[in-house]
């Protein structure tokens, strides 16, 4: 998979994730032609979790659901099954900014998981009809250094979420 440039930012992490997934399928004995993966990115840099949540001013939550609805409709017209196995979450840096009020890892974790991820999961199940929850792959941010802060609340929230929820995987 090769993406066209996204402004001056180049490829999204989606290309690398899908290429890695296909390599794993093939190295595990799978036949690449038997799998069809859809990768999309509705992300936007410089956003706080509230802006990416349902009703947030970025509209990205709603855009992500529309991508899932469109993919499901396309597969339905082609007689193919469709499910969402996993999503990647690359966010958290902007919640360290001077305008953010994230001094409590639990507060960020609750907003991120309860308002955004668990709502997204429920919508995915409703749209696709699948009987399993998708995984959320995430990572720990280190932007506290960029903002010259000593606390690592967002990174702690991300780690705690991976320990508390089987479907949240810290990579």
């Amino acid at each position: 998979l090769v993406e066209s440039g996204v402004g001056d930012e180049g490829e999204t992490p989606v290309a690398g994730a899908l290429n890695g997934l296909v390599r794993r399928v093939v190295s595990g004995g799978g036949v690449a032609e038997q799998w069809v993966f859809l990768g999309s990115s509705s992300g936007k840099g410089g956003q706080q979790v509230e802006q990416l949540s349902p009703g947030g001013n970025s509209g990205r939550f709603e855009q992500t659901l529309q991508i899932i609805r469109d993919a499901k409709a396309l597969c339905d017209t082609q007689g193919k099954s469709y499910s969402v196995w996993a999503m990647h979450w690359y966010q958290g840096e902007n919640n360290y900014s001077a305008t953010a009020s994230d001094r409590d890892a639990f507060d960020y974790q609750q907003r991120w998981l309860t308002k955004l991820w668990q709502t997204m999961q429920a919508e995915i199940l409703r749209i696709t009809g699948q009987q399993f929850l998708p995984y959320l792959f995430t990572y720990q941010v280190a932007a506290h250094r960029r903002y010259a802060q000593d606390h690592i609340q967002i990174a702690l929230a991300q780690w705690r979420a991976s320990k508390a929820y089987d479907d949240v995987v810290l990579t």
Side-chain angles (χ1 to χ4, degrees):
L1 173 66
V2 177
E3 291 180 281
S4 59
V6 181
D8 60 352
E9 296 185 22
E11 294 184 340
T12 68
V14 173
L18 288 178
N19 284 331
L21 185 58
V22 169
R23 279 193 298 275
R24 287 180 186 260
V25 165
V26 171
S27 69
V31 178
E33 291 76 20
Q34 293 177 338
W35 293 83
V36 176
F37 297 103
L38 170 67
S40 61
S41 176
S42 56
K44 182 177 182 182
Q47 302 292 293
Q48 293 183 11
V49 73
E50 294 78 15
Q51 295 169 296
L52 299 169
S53 294
N57 64 6
S58 73
R60 299 303 177 155
F61 183 89
E62 294 76 13
Q63 182 182 21
T64 301
L65 291 180
Q66 189 59 51
I67 290 168
I68 294 167
R69 282 191 288 274
D70 291 347
K72 172 76 168 113
L74 177 63
C75 289
D76 286 349
T77 63
Q78 295 179 359
K80 296 182 179 184
S81 64
Y82 175 76
S83 57
V84 177
W85 284 73
M87 297 184 86
H88 294 251
W89 180 257
Y90 302 108
Q91 190 275 337
E93 287 91 348
N94 205 265
N95 280 85
Y96 277 122
S97 71
T99 60
S101 59
D102 285 301
R103 300 290 182 257
D104 182 311
F106 182 76
D107 182 52
Y108 172 84
Q109 179 181 324
Q110 289 306 106
R111 288 193 328 275
W112 170 43
L113 291 173
T114 306
K115 283 184 90 175
L116 196 147
W117 178 238
Q118 291 173 348
T119 304
M120 179 69 70
Q121 282 182 320
E123 287 297 311
I124 288 169
L125 296 181
R126 186 184 65 72
I127 294 166
T128 65
Q130 67 191 59
Q131 300 297 311
F132 59 91
L133 293 175
Y135 284 97
L136 179 67
F137 291 96
T138 189
Y139 71 120
Q140 282 183 291
V141 297
H144 59 284
R145 294 176 180 224
R146 175 180 175 196
Y147 294 107
Q149 297 178 10
D150 292 332
H151 62 86
I152 58 170
Q153 308 308 16
I154 307 306
L156 284 174
Q158 292 162 331
W159 176 77
R160 288 178 182 155
S162 74
K163 295 296 184 188
Y165 300 91
D166 290 339
D167 58 325
V168 177
V169 180
L170 192 64
T171 62

